[in-house]
């Protein structure tokens, strides 16, 4: 398995993705045109869901840490390059 598939299969990540979907549905339902407010709502829902799924404990945080280099920080790579 790759770091990417480990991350996508992680239960805490899956809960965080559910949080993102819920936040995006709220943004769409309320026709929010404020990208800052929409971003804050998505971040809040994702972080809350991740934390509530024990995402800040091992093995979840280790999976997140191992995946982080794949985000291309400092390399010019983009998240959607993977």
């Amino acid at each position: 398995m790759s770091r990417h598939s480990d991350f996508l299969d992680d239960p805490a990540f899956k809960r965080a993705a559910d949080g993102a979907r819920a936040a995006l549905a709220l943004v769409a339902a309320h026709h929010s045109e404020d990208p800052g407010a929409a971003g804050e709502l998505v971040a809040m829902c994702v972080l809350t869901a991740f934390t509530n799924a024990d995402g800040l404990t091992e093995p979840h945080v280790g999976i997140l840490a191992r995946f982080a280099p794949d985000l291309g920080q400092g390399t010019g790579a983009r998240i959607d390059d993977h």
Side-chain angles (χ1 to χ4, degrees):
M1 246 189 212
S2 69
R3 287 183 291 175
H4 187 255
S5 61
D6 284 345
F7 189 58
L8 293 180
D9 290 337
D10 182 69
F13 171 79
K14 289 180 177 184
R15 286 280 298 275
D18 289 342
R21 282 189 285 279
L24 292 171
L26 280 172
V27 169
H30 294 283
H31 308 290
S32 175
E33 295 186 19
D34 180 353
E40 289 170 357
L41 179 63
V42 171
M44 180 177 54
C45 290
V46 167
L47 291 171
T48 300
F50 188 74
T51 302
N52 285 340
D54 292 327
L56 299 180
T57 62
E58 287 296 342
H60 312 290
V61 75
I63 292 169
L64 177 62
R66 285 190 303 276
F67 180 72
D70 287 343
L71 296 178
Q73 294 179 5
T75 65
R78 295 176 20 189
I79 290 174
D80 59 356
D81 286 345
H82 299 281

